[in-house]
Amino acid sequence: MSTPTHAPDAAAAQPEAAHSDTALATHHLSARKFTIHFLEMVVAMAVGMVALHPVWTLVLDATGATGLMHDPYTGALIMATNMTIAMSAWMRVRGHRWRPIAEMGAAMYVPFLVLFVPLALGLIGEGALMLWGHVLMLPAMAAAMLLRPHEYAHC
């Protein structure tokens, strides 16, 4: 009588497949890690706005271009730049690659760029530009993070 032969375990037969499954499991972005990283980015953005605003004021005053800070278009871009610089620096400290940093940076600018159209058409005012630009940054940041969950799993 012959003894039944058992097929080797699929994971044992393909160790790289088993390793791949393990790697996927370790790159899972938990809600806790997502929230912590998201909040870190918001704090970094606020620090950038507070810390870099005086630098812009000093430079623009020295060059006679103070009006740029008060123009809604350039003012919004300066604010987005302040937030992006601080957030990018923090992301780099946390070990992120340049591509996700650029994607997160885009999340700072795109809401304002989109809102420039209704501002130019007179459909919204300067206050709405700033309010909605900041509000729309949050889902834009979340989308950038959800695009590459493995990038944020180690945070």
Side-chain angles (χ1 to χ4, degrees):
M1 185 165 183
S2 67
T3 58
T5 57
H6 296 289
D9 181 60
Q14 299 174 351
E16 60 278 346
H19 175 71
S20 170
D21 291 341
T22 306
L24 287 174
T26 60
H27 289 294
H28 174 69
L29 180 59
S30 71
R32 181 179 179 274
K33 287 182 180 182
F34 183 94
T35 303
I36 289 171
H37 183 77
F38 192 86
L39 292 175
E40 285 178 4
M41 294 301 96
V42 171
V43 169
M45 290 161 45
V47 167
M49 284 192 303
V50 171
L52 295 175
H53 181 80
V55 174
W56 281 98
T57 302
L58 181 69
V59 170
L60 294 175
D61 284 348
T63 61
T66 308
L68 291 177
M69 189 71 86
H70 304 290
D71 177 78
Y73 299 97
T74 54
L77 293 176
I78 288 169
M79 186 177 302
T81 300
N82 292 345
M83 291 184 284
T84 302
I85 289 170
M87 182 195 57
S88 297
W90 183 245
M91 287 182 73
R92 204 60 193 146
V93 165
R94 299 284 276 147
H96 291 281
R97 298 172 301 118
W98 286 113
R99 183 174 179 167
I101 291 171
E103 292 166 352
M104 194 66 78
M108 302 297 99
Y109 291 97
V110 169
F112 285 118
L113 296 174
V114 168
L115 290 169
F116 284 171
V117 174
L119 179 68
L121 295 173
L123 301 174
I124 64 170
E126 294 176 23
L129 170 72
M130 287 305 198
L131 172 68
W132 288 106
H134 286 87
V135 168
L136 293 174
M137 279 180 192
L138 302 176
M141 290 169 55
M145 290 175 67
L146 292 172
L147 180 65
R148 299 182 193 291
H150 61 279
E151 182 74 26
Y152 301 95
H154 72 280
C155 297

